[in-house]
Structure formats: C-alpha cells, structure tokens
C-alpha cells in the first residue's frame, strides 16, 4: 500500500460506504495510520491509497504517541458547519504543495469507529479543517478544487510537475500505461 499522488484517477473516484467492518478493513486502517505517520500527515483517506472506501484516519497532532487525538472514521459525514476561515493547507497526495484554502471554522461530524459504534465530534480550527479535507477526498474533491483563482495560478507549475511525474511513472512501467489521470 502506498499513497498515490495527483493526478492519479483514484483521487477523483467517489468512495463507497463501508458495509462491514472486517479484518481487512482493520488491517487497512492500521496501515493507513502507519503511512500517515511516516509522511507526517494529519489525515489520510482511503482514495489516497487507491481504495474506494469511505474510510479515513486522522491525528490532529500528527504524533503517533498521542492516541487521544487519533481517530479512524468509517462512513464519516459533516452534520453541521459554521463560520469561515482561510488557512494554509497541504495534502499527502501533493507533496510540497501548500496554499490557502477557505473552510468552515467549526464542523460537527459523525462517523463509525472500528468497533462499529457511531460517534459525533464538534471541532474548531485545525481539527475542523482536517475533517473537511479528508471527507472531501471521499467525494473526489481535492484541496486544489477549494483554492481561489490566485492559489491555483500560484500552484500551476507544481501541478504541471505532478502530471509530468505521473506520466513518467507510467512510461517507466511503475503505473499501468492505460491509467488515465482525471484532473
């Protein structure tokens, strides 16, 4: 399992609800947490590892020792959002790219944990931003889609480089040659 980079088509695929919490789901969640920590992320969504599942992992402190801030969320939804704030955002599928993105300041989310128990969480600021970013991934929405026109313009060179690297990986046989990116 590895994190796929833009413009891999899995990033634009809408994820399907998880219908049963199996040993495979638990193993995938554990591996996703490992990958998230290896890459110093705050969250990771299943489409980022090319799985079409509504599954995300998060840790608002990015510290693997801080289990209090670590969450696995199955079939998460945003129930409410309030306010608006602009903040700097990045993504593990866009290494090195950061831009300002407008998000809700506060969100109330609902999800299931690995025991199949529902939970709700009211978050503000950075945790709210992480939830929104990762839930967007489940709908094929990327943070570049949330950038303003100036952010997109400032990111154009990096985005072109990601596309070029994707095409080079296909040419080298590291990705299937028929894998067409969805920009």
């Amino acid at each position: 399992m590895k994190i796929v980079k833009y413009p891999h088509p899995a990033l634009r695929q809408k994820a399907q609800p998880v219908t049963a919490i199996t040993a495979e789901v638990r193993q995938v969640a554990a591996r996703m947490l490992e990958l998230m920590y290896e890459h110093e992320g705050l969250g990771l969504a299943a489409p980022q590892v090319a799985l079409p599942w509504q599954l995300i992992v998060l840790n608002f402190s990015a510290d693997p020792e801080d289990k209090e801030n670590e969450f696995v969320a199955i079939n998460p939804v945003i129930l409410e959002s309030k306010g608006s704030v602009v903040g700097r955002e990045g993504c593990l599928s866009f290494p090195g790219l950061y831009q300002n993105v407008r998000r809700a300041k506060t969100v109330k989310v609902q999800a299931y944990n690995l025991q199949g128990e529902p939970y709700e969480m009211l978050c503000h600021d950075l945790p709210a931003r992480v939830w929104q970013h990762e839930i967007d991934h489940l709908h094929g929405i990327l943070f570049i889609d949330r950038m303003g026109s100036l952010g997109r313009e400032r990111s154009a060179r990096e985005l072109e480089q990601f596309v070029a690297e994707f095409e080079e990986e296909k040419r080298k046989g590291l990705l299937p040659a028929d894998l067409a990116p969805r920009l």
Side-chain angles (χ1 to χ4, degrees):
M1 180 184 295
K2 70 174 193 169
I3 297 173
V4 298
K5 291 195 286 187
Y6 178 82
H8 195 287
L11 296 172
R12 293 293 189 182
Q13 186 174 0
K14 291 187 189 222
Q16 301 304 307
V18 173
T19 57
I21 301 170
T22 62
E24 181 185 17
V25 170
R26 287 184 179 88
Q27 288 170 342
V28 165
R31 180 62 184 130
M32 285 174 60
L33 282 165
E34 290 172 1
L35 280 170
M36 179 185 75
Y37 292 129
E38 285 171 24
H39 294 273
E40 300 178 354
L42 300 175
L44 186 64
Q48 291 180 273
V49 294
L51 289 173
W53 299 352
Q54 289 185 15
L55 169 67
I56 62 177
V57 297
L58 313 102
N59 185 322
F60 307 123
S61 69
D63 180 356
E65 302 302 316
D66 183 8
K67 297 299 183 191
E68 191 170 304
N69 277 308
E70 182 179 278
F71 299 94
V72 173
I74 298 167
N75 303 334
V77 292
I78 295 174
L79 300 174
E80 297 174 19
S81 59
K82 294 180 184 168
S84 177
V85 63
V86 174
R88 197 156 171 82
E89 225 171 276
C91 180
L92 296 178
S93 293
F94 294 79
L97 178 62
Y98 298 90
Q99 283 295 337
N100 286 334
V101 175
R102 181 174 301 281
R103 298 276 187 188
K105 181 172 177 53
T106 301
V107 294
K108 183 178 183 181
V109 296
Q110 181 183 61
Y112 292 89
N113 64 22
L114 285 174
Q115 290 70 48
E117 302 162 339
Y119 65 93
E120 287 186 4
M121 188 180 298
L122 182 65
C123 297
H124 314 282
D125 304 314
L126 180 62
R129 178 172 297 280
V130 174
W131 275 108
Q132 292 169 85
H133 178 108
E134 299 308 331
I135 289 173
D136 270 357
H137 272 299
L138 302 181
H139 302 285
I141 300 168
L142 305 175
F143 89 117
I144 60 172
D145 303 329
R146 302 281 189 199
M147 287 179 191
S149 57
L150 185 57
R152 286 286 295 212
E153 188 177 306
R154 288 179 176 164
S155 302
R157 183 171 293 142
E158 288 103 326
L159 295 175
E160 289 171 9
Q161 185 62 37
F162 285 122
V163 171
E165 288 171 8
F166 180 82
E167 293 300 329
E168 180 64 12
E169 286 186 10
K170 284 189 347 186
R171 191 187 66 71
K172 289 180 175 177
L174 301 172
L175 292 170
D178 61 350
L179 194 62
R182 290 184 50 210
L183 305 176

